[in-house]
Amino acid sequence: MRIRIVDAFTDRPFAGNPAGVLLLDASASFPDDAWLQNVALEVNHAETAFAHPLPEGGEADWALRWFTPAAEVAMCGHATLATAHVLTTTGAVQGPVRFATRSGVLIATPRDDGSLTLDFPTAPLTAVEVPAGVAEALGAEPLTAHDTGPNVGDLLVELADEKTVLGLTPDTASLGRYSERGIIATARAEDPSRGYDFVSRCFFPNIGIAEDPVTGSAHTALAPFWSERLGRTELTGLQASARSGRVRTELRGDRTLLSGRAVTVIEGDLLV
């Protein structure tokens, strides 16, 4: 079968977040979980997406699952964007595509400008006390902290400013103590004229990812967080990892739209 590496949430190669994408033959079920996990470990990117077409007439067109090198995850934005990019650029689908996932039906819609928009559930934010030890592990004192609910599974912490977020050198392993997946660190953009409204970095030690380059699922929590503070439903986030990437967000109540581009950088045959 064909396997592709796609850089998501970027319009150029070697930026954004790379994802493996495998389009499987039509089947009533996915291959064995151990095989899926081994392929994801071999690809060794933050996530590898596996998708197969579903019979016509149902609520979804393709079944979709995501695996990190260490575990299956409940929701992944960049690998969904990467999968939709492969489906549209290869002609496998035309127009919107509906994915059946562990997080419900997720819809990806191609836009005239070449970008794709994902329709994801908005993360339910719950304000919590900053857990003891987070500031020491992160290397910065959070202003606020929020639980992001079961689909995202992170602790979202607001820091003083963009400079603090960019300068983080956390004890990544220690951050895994405070949530199911890890930590989202965020702050208001220092200069919105640069084209983004907030900045973030994401550390996910519990699923084998020290720092994720660009995290679509995290923006389902960042969108409501910053929309409330900035008074706008449409925002752009910069995830300031070494590879970096931008995610356009639009808050629509219990749904969040995530938009971005993707670039296929590698295509080949999986021989096992």
Side-chain angles (χ1 to χ4, degrees):
M1 67 192 73
R2 302 297 285 172
I3 184 169
R4 297 166 176 86
I5 305 298
V6 177
D7 290 343
F9 292 115
T10 182
D11 60 0
R12 58 188 174 87
F14 314 124
N17 201 351
V21 177
L22 280 88
L23 302 183
L24 307 169
D25 294 335
S27 172
S29 62
F30 285 95
D32 181 83
D33 285 5
W35 183 87
L36 297 173
Q37 189 64 72
N38 280 332
V39 172
L41 179 59
E42 188 78 8
V43 172
N44 202 33
H45 283 312
E47 267 89 10
T48 297
F50 302 88
H52 69 73
L54 294 170
E56 294 184 4
E59 66 173 4
D61 309 302
W62 288 72
L64 177 63
R65 294 172 70 181
W66 314 277
F67 285 76
T68 78
E72 185 174 9
V73 295
M75 185 166 66
C76 179
H78 87 276
T80 304
L81 186 74
T83 305
H85 169 77
V86 170
L87 288 170
T88 56
T89 56
T90 61
V93 301
Q94 295 182 352
V97 56
R98 302 167 300 167
F99 295 109
T101 78
R102 286 174 56 181
S103 297
V105 175
L106 308 177
I107 302 173
T109 303
R111 300 302 181 189
D112 292 340
D113 65 359
S115 66
L116 290 151
T117 296
L118 309 178
D119 182 337
F120 271 42
T122 300
L125 299 181
T126 303
V128 297
E129 294 292 328
V130 177
V134 166
E136 292 76 13
L138 197 58
E141 188 69 43
L143 303 178
T144 64
H146 288 75
D147 179 85
T148 59
N151 285 340
V152 177
D154 298 325
L155 182 70
L156 172 65
V157 297
E158 179 189 6
L159 301 184
D161 50 36
E162 179 175 335
K163 182 179 179 181
T164 302
V165 174
L166 298 182
L168 291 175
T169 56
D171 177 358
T172 307
S174 297
L175 295 179
R177 303 171 186 170
Y178 305 106
S179 66
E180 180 181 348
R181 184 170 68 166
I183 298 281
I184 305 167
T186 188
R188 189 186 303 241
E190 180 180 322
D191 181 5
S193 68
R194 295 175 181 169
Y196 56 92
D197 302 289
F198 60 88
V199 64
S200 66
R201 291 175 66 189
C202 295
F203 309 98
F204 302 143
N206 291 343
I207 56 171
I209 302 170
E211 180 171 2
D212 200 33
V214 189
T215 315
S217 59
H219 283 76
T220 67
L222 290 162
F225 181 85
W226 286 112
S227 290
E228 180 180 354
R229 284 154 181 78
L230 299 178
R232 289 184 286 124
T233 58
E234 296 185 29
L235 300 169
T236 298
L238 171 70
Q239 193 157 329
S241 65
R243 292 175 64 99
S244 187
R246 299 191 184 199
V247 183
R248 301 194 308 273
T249 68
E250 181 179 349
L251 186 64
R252 293 187 175 180
D254 63 355
R255 307 297 295 183
T256 295
L257 304 186
L258 310 172
S259 297
R261 296 175 179 267
V263 181
T264 301
V265 293
I266 296 174
E267 182 175 352
D269 292 320
L270 182 65
L271 303 178
V272 294

